[in-house]
Amino acid sequence: KQALEERQDTYEDCLNHLEDKEIPIRGHGLIALTKLVNHRDEESMKHIEDIFETFQNHLTDQDTYIYLQAVKGLSACAFYKPDIVITKLCREYALLDDAKYPGEKGLELRTKVGEALVNITKTLAELTPHYKNKLLNPFLAQLNHPDPMIRSSSLSNLGEICKNLKFSLGNVAQEIFQGLHYILQFDKAI
């Protein structure tokens, strides 16, 4: 029994799970694949390009469970392909369609993608300042969103990213302070 509990999915197991029609099994395949990337599994690292493409392809899935697992997987791949992952996730964050995902679902998705971007800044450490404009712009743009929870989430993520940048903001600092000043002066939401 203990041997079954300790067994981890292999790269091949994950690929088989991803072919299944059942959403929970496909989701498990994405979760297991993310774990393999995080643990730098030898077989998985040989196929990191394919894994990256797999996560990217699952971003278009209509099921939010699959979509969110793909976001987490892409976040895990950020160490290997930071330019592409940051560009892709920033675009996802900025273009999440409120009409397609209204209310709580849109808030949840935007929050999770924002969380993934913040985690990427922790993963990249000293490399993060190279991507500061790409990382900050989507959050700055959402400071005008009509939903106060999304504005609040954007503020929180903006603060975390600034902290992870070790406040090396350069010319972006003025734009951040202007956005914060506007919110403090005019935002009616607590």
Side-chain angles (χ1 to χ4, degrees):
K1 181 179 177 180
Q2 188 177 4
L4 286 176
E5 290 175 7
E6 291 178 13
R7 184 187 179 283
Q8 284 190 340
D9 289 313
T10 65
Y11 175 69
E12 289 299 321
D13 292 338
C14 294
L15 293 181
N16 289 333
H17 294 319
L18 292 173
E19 296 297 320
D20 202 284
K21 288 183 172 94
E22 295 293 322
I23 290 173
I25 295 172
R26 285 194 347 253
H28 172 76
L30 290 171
I31 291 168
L33 205 51
T34 302
K35 284 181 183 176
L36 291 174
V37 171
N38 284 332
H39 291 114
R40 299 191 184 6
D41 172 69
E42 188 178 328
E43 180 69 19
S44 300
M45 293 301 100
K46 291 177 187 173
H47 301 281
I48 193 68
E49 296 285 331
D50 296 330
I51 291 172
F52 176 76
E53 193 173 310
T54 297
F55 289 133
Q56 258 194 314
N57 292 340
H58 281 85
L59 279 179
T60 59
D61 199 289
Q62 294 298 317
D63 190 277
T64 56
Y65 177 67
I66 299 296
Y67 173 85
L68 290 174
Q69 297 311 322
V71 166
K72 290 177 184 175
L74 274 178
S75 180
C77 289
F79 187 76
Y80 305 98
K81 296 198 162 282
D83 283 323
I84 298 170
V85 171
I86 289 171
T87 300
K88 186 74 173 169
L89 289 181
C90 285
R91 183 172 166 77
E92 284 291 315
Y93 185 85
L95 298 178
L96 264 172
D97 187 358
D98 293 324
K100 185 177 177 183
Y101 300 110
E104 292 296 316
K105 189 54 68 183
L107 176 63
E108 176 190 358
L109 293 177
R110 202 176 300 265
T111 303
K112 295 294 183 185
V113 175
E115 182 182 314
L117 286 165
V118 169
N119 287 337
I120 288 170
T121 65
K122 291 175 186 170
T123 301
L124 294 178
E126 289 84 34
L127 296 176
T128 302
H130 178 72
Y131 303 101
K132 76 177 171 199
N133 289 339
K134 279 186 182 180
L135 288 163
L136 293 172
N137 286 337
F139 297 111
L140 287 169
Q142 296 304 317
L143 295 180
N144 295 323
H145 195 281
D147 187 330
M149 291 301 288
I150 290 176
R151 291 193 309 271
S152 175
S153 174
S154 292
L155 281 170
S156 175
N157 290 332
L158 196 59
E160 284 295 312
I161 290 175
C162 287
K163 185 175 81 176
N164 292 338
L165 285 167
K166 296 186 176 33
F167 300 99
S168 316
L169 302 174
N171 57 356
V172 182
Q174 183 178 355
E175 188 177 348
I176 292 171
F177 282 120
Q178 284 176 338
L180 295 175
H181 181 263
Y182 179 83
I183 287 172
L184 289 170
Q185 193 170 15
F186 299 110
D187 202 317
K188 302 287 187 234
I190 293 173

